[in-house]
Amino acid sequence: MTPEQDAVLRDIQVQLRGPGLVGWPQLGTDTQGHARSLVDGLAAALDRIDALEHESSALRSQIDELRTEISELEATTAELSERTQRLDGPHWPWPLSLIEGPATLVGEQLARLESLLPELPGLPGHRDSGCALMANERTTEPGSGVPTSHDR
């Protein structure tokens, strides 16, 4: 081997194994506290990259779960906001507020029944034109006070 080749070989060894052939301190240390060689440092870096990929995958899963929870919270917030807006109207004081819903229902049903009253036969304001016509035909002969023949 020539002196030039020997110099190149030593340079390559120093580059791979570090100064004094005891490892590179900037690449960290192994489990026994020795500085790592270039190959050991590269292996440790690749292990760390693999570990970071697994951690980032787990974090992406957590992010997806958090997005789902955020969506559910937004839906709940919207529902609560709607309920709050419905509560802004006038309400009965407590303890009457306990019967407010049923009382409102009864009031609505009574209003519905009252709207149907004019349609019942035999009551004033009945809509059947035949009944109204019969009531109008009950008249007396002019000047006599005697009912007409169609009433008898």
Side-chain angles (χ1 to χ4, degrees):
M1 180 180 324
T2 66
E4 292 168 351
Q5 290 174 334
D6 187 47
V8 170
L9 183 59
R10 287 203 185 278
D11 190 38
I12 292 172
Q13 278 186 323
V14 168
Q15 290 298 316
L16 289 175
R17 296 178 64 195
L21 306 177
V22 293
W24 290 97
Q26 60 265 44
L27 294 178
T29 58
D30 60 14
T31 56
Q32 290 124 6
H34 302 295
R36 291 186 178 130
S37 70
L38 183 61
V39 174
D40 293 337
L42 181 59
L46 291 174
D47 285 343
R48 183 67 180 136
I49 289 170
D50 189 45
L52 289 173
E53 286 177 344
H54 288 296
E55 288 177 27
S56 68
S57 176
L59 288 172
R60 278 192 289 275
S61 296
Q62 289 178 353
I63 288 170
D64 290 341
E65 290 173 12
L66 288 172
R67 284 183 177 150
T68 302
E69 287 183 33
I70 288 170
S71 296
E72 291 171 358
L73 286 172
E74 287 173 343
T76 301
T77 302
E79 182 183 331
L80 290 174
S81 176
E82 180 183 326
R83 286 184 184 180
T84 302
Q85 288 174 355
R86 281 187 268 151
L87 292 175
D88 288 343
H91 293 284
W92 294 2
W94 194 88
L96 295 176
S97 62
L98 297 173
I99 62 165
E100 183 175 6
T104 302
L105 180 66
V106 168
E108 290 170 356
Q109 294 303 316
L110 284 174
R112 184 172 172 254
L113 286 173
E114 285 177 348
S115 72
L116 295 174
L117 280 177
E119 296 177 9
L120 293 174
L123 292 177
H126 181 64
R127 291 183 187 166
D128 187 11
S129 60
C131 291
L133 182 61
M134 285 180 70
N136 288 338
E137 288 179 351
R138 290 192 177 160
T139 57
T140 58
E141 289 281 333
S144 70
V146 178
T148 57
S149 60
H150 55 47
D151 284 338
R152 289 183 234 166

